[in-house]
Amino acid sequence: MAWLQTHWIAVALLVVYGAILVRHAIEGRRGTKGRTDYYVGGRSMGGVVLGLSFFATYSSTNSFVGFSGQAYTYGAAWLLVAPAVVIFSLSAWVWVAPRLRAFTGAVDSVTLADYVGFRFESRAARLLAAVIVIFASFLYMIAVFKGIGNLLEIFLDIPYAAAIGFVFLIVVFYTAVGGFISVVKTDAVQGIVMSIAAVLLFWGTLRGAGGLGALDAIRAAPATEGLFRWDAAMPFPVLIGIVVAGTLKFIVDPRQLSRFYALADPRAVRHGMIVSTIAFLGVYTLLLPIGLYAHAVIGSGLTESDLVVPTLLGDAGILPALPAAFILVAMLAAAMSSLDSVLLVMASTWERDVISLVRHVEEGRAVAETRFWVALFAIITAWLSLNPPGSIVTLTAFSGGLYAACFFPAVVLGLLWRRGTGAGAVASLLTGFIVLMCWDWVPFSEAVHEVFPAMALSLAAYVGCGLAAPPLEAAKRLDIKL
């Protein structure tokens, strides 16, 4: 009872939010008639809801806990993430969304891996793409679970493992039951909630720090003046690599790209671009300076930047009870908006691009089996997150780096350039993966982030194979549809 008396506001908000999730799960179940509905919403959804979903899917606890607190150790240079987020998000909507929507609709593609297989007429490329997607998704989900586990542990005073179990049960329920329709509708609500939370979190931090001018005192203090150098925490090229790896995923991450599959028409593309751009610009402009201002609020004694935002929320002197509870629910929403999308991507990729290549699966059975894979992958990831192998930003950046290095040639050049072969797709996927995984063993590797050499060599492999062979028959669909 004492615990409930302390946290009753947060509990009440969570109950209301839970009721919304149940409703969306039921609506998603009713709207799902087959595999295309369950995987990509029947390709008939509007731009506003998908634009909010695109924003919410990216803006998980990795952003609200990891990205918001990272300037605490990385310094002012970390603020470069804000323009990078806007630039790469816009690039995805302008260059990728209309072409990917048209091509995947023409060939009945519902996953990133089957797009690779259909575009390059290669079973090997499809299977390899599926393996990389599932591996990178595990890393990303561990980061999300870590973020929400840390937050609930500190703010609600519950064990870390119990926090992860709580989130696991909720996400598995509405994702498995309602599929893509449930996920997107929930994401739209989560996007609005997170936008409000960003304003409250910035306001509370600024209030605790003493106003915008607190940065002058932080810059002048001997303990924190170094945070305003470009190389505050690491060589600048490495920092830029982390920023690129964390934001280039807009163009190559399957959970982001799946929103483009579901767009109803070109008008929906325009609406989605406008909504997501406004959301990213406003929210990330507010979130990213929080780590810097935190030095004026909680001092410079924290050893891990992932604890900055949970510490701020746990201090009653910074935020009143109601705003703090609302932000907690928003953080939970942020975690779920990414977990649900990644889970659906993993499960659909496994069912569509691994299982279906081994044996024929009827469409109705494929949906039932995908629901099972959603639960199984969630169990595995929740267990792994009990002892995570790295920080939130480290895991997020590495996952994003995998997508960038492996899929940039196949996705971007595959849509914009008619040349490209199955051998080139396989070569680029393998090259990007191997270079990214092995870069730390290269002499002087610490001076350059691994995403740059991995992308460069992956592109070289793709282009080289493409120039050596004529365009594939599937590439003609790009001209026909666009």
Side-chain angles (χ1 to χ4, degrees):
M1 285 299 296
W3 179 88
L4 187 59
Q5 289 176 349
T6 302
H7 302 291
W8 71 270
I9 297 177
V11 172
L13 291 175
L14 288 172
V15 169
V16 173
Y17 185 68
I20 295 174
L21 298 183
V22 171
R23 177 180 176 179
H24 287 164
I26 295 172
E27 291 176 352
R29 177 91 177 187
R30 289 173 178 169
T32 299
K33 308 302 181 185
R35 182 174 54 198
T36 302
D37 295 324
Y38 191 78
Y39 288 1
V40 291
R43 306 184 197 276
S44 60
M45 305 192 77
V48 174
V49 68
L50 286 171
L52 284 170
S53 179
F54 189 82
F55 159 72
T57 298
Y58 181 84
S59 304
S60 67
T61 47
N62 299 353
S63 300
F64 276 79
V65 177
F67 281 22
S68 294
Q70 197 63 59
Y72 186 84
T73 54
Y74 282 10
W78 186 245
L79 303 185
L80 291 172
V81 169
V85 163
V86 174
I87 290 169
F88 283 115
S89 172
L90 270 173
S91 299
W93 282 98
V94 171
W95 289 315
V96 177
R99 291 171 173 81
L100 189 65
R101 171 188 160 270
F103 182 85
T104 56
V107 299
D108 194 27
S109 165
V110 292
T111 68
L112 178 60
D114 73 5
Y115 154 76
V116 171
F118 293 149
R119 167 64 180 84
F120 300 103
E121 300 173 4
S122 172
R123 185 185 181 99
R126 180 178 178 180
L127 184 59
L128 180 58
V131 171
I132 294 172
V133 165
I134 292 171
F135 176 69
S137 296
F138 270 124
L139 296 178
Y140 187 83
M141 283 186 62
I142 291 170
V144 178
F145 269 124
K146 182 181 187 299
I148 196 60
N150 286 341
L151 188 68
L152 294 178
E153 180 183 27
I154 292 176
F155 190 80
L156 290 184
D157 192 28
I158 60 177
Y160 176 79
I164 290 175
F166 171 70
V167 175
F168 158 80
L169 290 174
I170 296 175
V171 173
V172 168
F173 167 72
Y174 77 82
T175 304
V177 171
F180 190 87
I181 296 172
S182 173
V183 165
V184 169
K185 288 186 175 182
T186 301
D187 283 354
V189 174
Q190 289 163 338
I192 295 171
V193 170
M194 285 187 283
S195 298
I196 298 171
V199 175
L200 292 175
L201 184 57
F202 181 75
W203 167 77
T205 305
L206 206 63
R207 175 170 166 264
L212 289 171
L215 279 186
D216 294 331
I218 297 170
R219 186 186 292 110
T224 52
E225 61 178 351
L227 293 175
F228 293 84
R229 297 197 310 264
W230 290 113
D231 59 347
M234 64 191 68
F236 187 64
V238 176
L239 176 68
I240 290 298
I242 294 174
V243 172
V244 170
T247 55
L248 189 61
K249 64 172 60 180
F250 286 118
I251 300 175
V252 292
D253 190 328
R255 67 195 173 95
Q256 302 293 147
L257 297 180
S258 64
R259 273 62 193 156
F260 301 155
Y261 288 53
L263 290 161
D265 49 43
R267 184 183 179 192
V269 176
R270 293 192 297 272
H271 289 170
M273 178 180 65
I274 293 169
V275 169
S276 65
T277 300
I278 293 172
F280 279 122
L281 180 61
V283 169
Y284 281 81
T285 299
L286 295 175
L287 288 181
L288 293 171
I290 286 173
L292 282 174
Y293 281 106
H295 284 280
V297 182
I298 58 180
S300 303
L302 290 182
T303 58
E304 187 178 351
S305 62
D306 289 350
L307 298 177
V308 169
V309 171
T311 302
L312 290 172
L313 290 180
D315 189 337
I318 298 172
L319 281 167
L322 181 57
F326 184 88
I327 293 174
L328 174 70
V329 175
M331 300 299 101
L332 186 62
M336 292 179 180
S337 66
S338 289
L339 288 172
D340 55 18
S341 299
V342 180
L343 271 176
L344 193 57
V345 163
M346 293 173 74
S348 59
T349 299
W350 178 257
E351 177 66 31
R352 169 79 164 172
D353 303 303
V354 179
I355 298 299
S356 68
L357 294 183
V358 177
R359 57 177 171 83
H360 175 71
V361 182
E362 296 293 337
E363 185 165 329
R365 184 178 176 185
V367 172
E369 289 186 0
T370 304
R371 290 190 169 107
F372 171 77
W373 301 128
V374 166
L376 180 61
F377 284 134
I379 291 171
I380 295 171
T381 312
W383 177 74
L384 291 173
S385 67
L386 296 177
N387 188 24
S391 71
I392 292 173
V393 170
T394 300
L395 291 169
T396 303
F398 192 78
S399 172
L402 275 173
Y403 285 130
C406 297
F407 289 105
F408 185 84
V411 172
V412 178
L413 292 189
L415 291 170
L416 301 178
W417 189 45
R418 287 189 61 195
R419 307 296 288 264
T421 64
V426 170
S428 64
L429 290 169
L430 283 175
T431 300
F433 184 84
I434 292 171
V435 173
L436 201 75
M437 297 296 290
C438 300
W439 184 248
D440 286 342
W441 285 276
V442 175
F444 309 109
S445 60
E446 66 277 2
V448 179
H449 193 275
E450 59 264 22
V451 73
F452 293 124
M455 280 189 63
L457 293 173
S458 177
L459 278 167
Y462 180 89
V463 172
C465 292
L467 292 175
L472 296 170
E473 186 68 23
K476 296 179 181 178
R477 293 180 183 269
L478 297 173
D479 297 331
I480 293 171
K481 299 303 293 182
L482 294 175

